[in-house]
Amino acid sequence: MACTVKKGILFLNGEPPACRELREIAIRKKENEIAVFCTDGAYAYVVPFMQPDAVVGDFDSLDKNAVHESCEVIAYSFDKDYTDGYLAVKIMIERGFTDIDIFGAYGGRPDMAESNYTLLALALKSGVRARFCGKMSAYMTNGLFCAQAQTGATLSLVPFTDVLHILHTKGLKYALTDYTMKRFDGIESSRYIMGVSNVCECESVEISVGNGVALVFIEEKSGR
């Protein structure tokens, strides 16, 4: 039986995507290809292009009365244990989304940007594909990772856990085989830098992780 992919888009209150991307997403939403969620802080830049299906948050950045009646409001107390973005991803997973593109994860407050990587970790733990969209797409993997990329694009591989063991990579200029990275090696050495600023030599890349969790960043070149 074929596996059905349920696609969702989530907008966070970081750096907004380009107007072109927002218009393209609005068209896909109109054609019922995707569902759109946003946190309360992102609503202002999303609504000129489309009404999201749901707005999630504690509404410290938005008056709930400003949300259009066609949009579901999922409100939390300000005194909560998780960020609005984390709660939004959790809800989307619970509702059966298997593929989530996240915009606005970069920019804004640096503490929020750093904590946003837990959203990818939550998706990975739940068996859901997720990525941060921007100048560089960001993915998280603890097994076999395959992706399409433009030839010549920059790809960086960064440990998310303290220790990361790479079984092999394919399609990259600087190949890694049976290589262990340590997240804090940079304190005493520069070994961890080996994963940064690699180059895609073809349009298909593969990374196999034997142990640990990796963040994979792939440059999104113009015209793609």
Side-chain angles (χ1 to χ4, degrees):
M1 181 180 293
C3 179
T4 302
V5 175
K6 188 175 180 181
K7 179 79 175 184
I9 304 291
L10 173 61
F11 293 102
L12 305 179
N13 192 26
E15 183 178 354
C19 292
R20 171 186 56 80
E21 289 179 295
L22 285 162
R23 285 193 290 266
E24 291 173 353
I25 292 169
I27 292 170
R28 295 179 66 194
K29 181 181 184 301
K30 187 175 181 180
E31 295 175 351
N32 295 317
E33 294 181 7
I34 56 171
V36 173
F37 285 61
C38 71
T39 57
D40 54 28
Y43 185 80
Y45 76 74
V46 173
V47 75
F49 297 89
M50 73 199 91
Q51 279 293 336
D53 295 286
V55 182
V56 181
D58 54 20
F59 290 87
D60 61 341
S61 305
L62 175 70
D63 182 350
K64 283 187 285 188
N65 294 322
V67 178
H68 193 272
E69 62 182 10
S70 66
C71 181
E72 180 183 4
V73 173
I74 305 173
Y76 289 87
S77 167
F78 181 78
D79 298 317
K80 60 189 190 307
D81 295 328
Y82 301 99
T83 64
D84 293 348
Y86 187 96
L87 292 169
V89 171
K90 184 174 183 292
I91 289 167
M92 294 176 77
I93 291 170
E94 289 171 350
R95 294 188 179 186
F97 289 91
T98 55
D99 193 324
I100 304 173
D101 282 350
I102 303 172
F103 292 84
Y106 304 128
R109 285 170 44 184
D111 55 339
M112 293 296 290
E114 180 69 20
S115 70
N116 281 339
Y117 291 114
T118 61
L119 279 59
L120 295 179
L122 174 61
L124 180 66
K125 182 179 179 181
S126 304
V128 170
R129 176 203 171 277
R131 68 165 177 158
F132 289 167
C133 302
K135 293 180 180 179
M136 294 193 84
S137 291
Y139 306 82
M140 190 173 285
T141 182
N142 59 357
L144 181 64
F145 173 84
C146 301
Q148 298 299 307
Q150 288 187 324
T151 301
T154 299
L155 184 148
S156 291
L157 188 59
V158 178
F160 185 73
T161 48
D162 289 345
V163 178
L164 173 65
H165 178 220
I166 303 298
L167 296 175
H168 68 259
T169 63
K170 294 181 181 179
L172 300 177
K173 181 177 181 179
Y174 306 106
L176 294 176
T177 302
D178 190 21
Y179 185 76
T180 298
M181 297 182 184
K182 294 183 180 179
R183 189 177 187 187
F184 299 106
D185 262 6
I187 296 173
E188 298 179 356
S189 71
S190 59
R191 291 179 65 223
Y192 79 108
I193 295 177
M194 283 191 69
V196 177
S197 296
N198 212 322
V199 180
C200 300
E201 289 198 313
C202 56
E203 294 184 351
S204 178
V205 297
E206 179 179 299
I207 297 165
S208 180
V209 175
N211 184 46
V213 178
L215 278 166
V216 183
F217 298 88
I218 302 178
E219 180 184 13
E220 292 288 352
K221 290 195 171 183
S222 59
R224 184 175 177 179

